[in-house]
Amino acid sequence: MTERSLVLIKPDGVQRLLVGRVIARFEDRGLKLVGLKLVRVTRELAEEHYAVHRERSFFAGLVAFITSSPLVALAVEGPDAIAVVRSMVGATRPSESAPGTIRGDLALEVAQNLIHASDGPETAAAELALWFPEGLLAYPREVDRWVLAPGG
Ligand code: IDP
Ligand code: MG
């Protein structure tokens, strides 16, 4: 099923100039961009995004980190995009992230693990609405037309 997922390239990824390489991985996989922007995150947005972790010991540090410098928010679309993106991102703790995943290749610390990705259909819908209140762009690609209507 075609899905959309929210991806955040966290401040460490922007500071380390890894934005293009991370986006390229998703494009290489065949996922289509339907939203993309550089965001200076407010405390309110950060606390809303990570509300599920409000009681965790690392919450204050996580909010401080995510608001410390701009991040890149992207919305990607494709078949089973939510699970595909999560598998490409890798485990939360870089010590457990498999080589070949984004975290497994590019991150080493859990507090600076480079990337966020929605973990299910409900969180994806809520996170896309939170980060892209202006909505996403739907548009056809030539490859979609070729696959869906060869010769047509
Ligand atoms: P996820 O990003 O893989 O979905 P979550 O468990 O939802 O992982 O945690 C959200 C974020 O909180 C992680 O990506 C990481 O940046 C941070 N985090 C999680 N656990 C810890 C921890 O034990 N110490 C510091 N930061 C943590
Ligand atoms: Mg999570």
Side-chain angles (χ1 to χ4, degrees), residues 10 50 53 58 62 86 92-93 103 110-111 113 115-116:
K10 296 179 184 180
Y50 280 126
H53 297 303
F58 57 78
L62 182 58
R86 284 291 288 197
T92 303
R93 300 183 177 284
R103 286 168 174 164
V110 68
N113 61 2
I115 189 160
H116 166 87

Side-chain angles (χ1 to χ4, degrees), residues 42-79:
T42 62
R43 165 169 292 275
E44 292 68 33
L45 178 56
E47 291 183 347
E48 175 73 24
H49 175 73
Y50 280 126
V52 66
H53 297 303
R54 193 172 284 134
E55 307 303 327
R56 309 288 288 275
S57 59
F58 57 78
F59 181 71
L62 182 58
V63 169
F65 168 63
I66 213 80
T67 57
S68 65
S69 180
L71 57 69
V72 170
L74 48 145
V76 296
E77 180 185 283

Side-chain angles (χ1 to χ4, degrees), residues 71-101:
L71 57 69
V72 170
L74 48 145
V76 296
E77 180 185 283
D80 299 311
I82 296 167
V84 167
V85 169
R86 284 291 288 197
S87 72
M88 292 176 70
V89 163
T92 303
R93 300 183 177 284
S95 60
E96 299 166 2
S97 311
T101 64

